[in-house]
Amino acid sequence: MRLRAIAHSRTGDKGDTANVSLIAFDPAEYSRLEAQVTAERVRDHFAGIVTGGVVRYALPQLGTLNFVMRGALGGGVTRSLALDAHGKGLSALLLDLEIPDAEG
């Protein structure tokens, strides 16, 4: 299943760094997100887009994982030639990440 089935996302950007939060619709799904969506998986998922490191911050009280991705915006929003390479585009791409469904 894709993450969008159990979570939504919010994003922000500053310079060449993107900040992407993954928020469980249902707090009961948070532990599943925490187990399946690691910094390494996110880095692999964004291969070719993110050129720097990815750090994950867990916020269990909010049912949220926050990912800080360096080198994610083609040099920065104002320098990039890509159309909407920031914010909404990155959150939509994260929500396409596949994880096992509840039975798998």
Side-chain angles (χ1 to χ4, degrees):
M1 70 183 292
R2 296 192 190 278
L3 284 177
R4 68 180 69 254
I6 62 170
H8 64 101
S9 182
R10 300 284 298 173
T11 61
D13 51 70
K14 190 69 166 176
D16 200 23
T17 300
N19 179 4
V20 182
S21 293
L22 183 64
I23 307 143
F25 290 129
D26 179 350
E29 294 285 8
Y30 173 76
S31 61
R32 192 158 145 205
L33 292 177
E34 190 174 34
Q36 294 293 324
V37 190
T38 64
E40 294 77 21
R41 284 205 63 205
V42 170
R43 175 82 167 91
D44 290 346
H45 187 65
F46 283 94
I49 297 171
V50 174
T51 60
V54 174
V55 178
R56 182 181 88 168
Y57 297 94
L59 299 116
Q61 302 86 347
L62 301 175
T64 301
L65 297 174
N66 186 60
F67 298 90
V68 176
M69 301 185 289
R70 305 229 183 258
L73 302 171
V77 173
T78 59
R79 293 184 57 202
S80 176
L81 298 177
L83 182 61
D84 198 18
H86 57 285
K88 297 175 292 296
L90 295 177
S91 66
L93 183 57
L94 179 60
L95 293 173
D96 277 342
L97 180 69
E98 294 261 352
I99 62 169
D101 62 21
E103 292 81 45

